[in-house]
């Protein structure tokens, strides 16, 4: 297994994401049709492994979700329109460090970084896009994945609970400080109606695709 060396981490208030330089690798896509969608999302093994990481530790970790609206070129690789990427972040400074999988990982050649945290101010999605992918954020919309919403919060229009994700339930937060408003008439959350409903449906289907990737069972590779 190839392991990347640890680098210094820039800080964000709710989690730290590694700024790493690795060879460009295109995402391995899972293609296919689905009722009500023009096409399915492009997903890869790294997102499946990171989803597994999160589901093992929902009290200390969350997931950044990016969905490309246009073809994008970043430092880790190129991403077709309709690519969905999931990447973990720490919920608190006291949370332990752990290994994460970078886009382009596969069963044959996993690209692994270590997640750390220092004080700072960037939201996790902004940090992941700008300093890990090193890709222009104007080509993405963004969401987050965490533990299911409770005490009525799941009824807010910017929250969705999703069941049957590898036998678990998750909560999707549709809000982003810096990504969504150019695409949704100034709304910082992906709307539940109109065009937003279509993109929510594609993202939810993409998350289910990620959850269905059996290559995520790499034995002890995830910790």
């Amino acid at each position: 297994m190839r392991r990347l060396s640890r680098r210094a981490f820039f800080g964000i208030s709710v989690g730290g994401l590694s700024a790493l330089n690795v060879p460009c690798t295109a995402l391995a896509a899972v293609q296919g049709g689905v009722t009500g969608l023009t096409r399915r999302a492009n997903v890869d093994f790294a997102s499946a492994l990171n989803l597994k990481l999160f589901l093992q530790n929902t009290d200390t970790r969350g997931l950044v979700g990016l969905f490309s609206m246009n073809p994008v070129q970043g430092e880790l690789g190129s991403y077709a329109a309709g690519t969905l990427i999931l990447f973990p972040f720490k919920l608190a400074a006291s949370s332990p460090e752990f290994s994460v999988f970078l886009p382009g990982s596969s069963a044959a050649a996993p690209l692994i970084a270590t997640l750390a945290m220092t004080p700072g101010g960037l939201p996790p999605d902004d940090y992941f896009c700008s300093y890990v992918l090193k890709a222009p954020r104007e080509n993405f919309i963004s969401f987050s994945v965490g533990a299911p919403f409770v005490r009525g919060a799941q009824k807010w229009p910017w929250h969705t609970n999703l069941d049957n994700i590898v036998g678990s339930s998750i909560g999707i937060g549709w809000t982003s400080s810096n990504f969504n408003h150019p695409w949704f008439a100034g709304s910082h959350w992906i709307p539940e109606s109109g065009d937003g409903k279509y993109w929510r449906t594609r993202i939810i289907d993409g998350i289910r695709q990620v959850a269905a990737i059996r290559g995520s069972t790499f034995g002890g590779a995830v910790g």
Side-chain angles (χ1 to χ4, degrees), residues 154-187:
Q154 70 274 18
K155 298 180 181 179
W156 297 346
W158 50 87
H159 290 165
T160 298
N161 280 347
L162 190 61
D163 298 325
N164 301 317
I165 300 299
V166 197
S168 301
S169 297
I170 62 173
I172 304 174
W174 298 108
T175 302
S176 172
S177 298
N178 297 318
F179 284 77
N180 297 332
H181 61 285
W183 295 95
F184 300 108
S187 173

Side-chain angles (χ1 to χ4, degrees), residues 134-150:
K134 296 187 178 179
R137 72 182 183 209
E138 59 266 22
N139 292 300
F140 294 95
I141 56 177
S142 176
F143 59 97
S144 61
V145 175
F149 297 102
V150 296

Side-chain angles (χ1 to χ4, degrees), residues 75-172:
E75 190 162 301
L76 295 186
S78 57
Y79 314 104
T83 295
L84 184 144
I85 307 171
L86 298 176
F87 196 79
F89 64 90
K90 295 171 62 172
L91 294 177
S94 58
S95 300
E97 295 183 8
F98 54 92
S99 296
V100 299
F101 294 83
L102 300 174
S105 296
S106 68
L111 305 174
I112 304 174
T114 300
L115 197 68
M117 180 173 178
T118 55
L122 281 177
D125 54 1
D126 211 343
Y127 189 91
F128 175 55
C129 186
S130 298
Y131 291 97
V132 180
L133 295 184
K134 296 187 178 179
R137 72 182 183 209
E138 59 266 22
N139 292 300
F140 294 95
I141 56 177
S142 176
F143 59 97
S144 61
V145 175
F149 297 102
V150 296
R151 299 178 182 176
Q154 70 274 18
K155 298 180 181 179
W156 297 346
W158 50 87
H159 290 165
T160 298
N161 280 347
L162 190 61
D163 298 325
N164 301 317
I165 300 299
V166 197
S168 301
S169 297
I170 62 173
I172 304 174

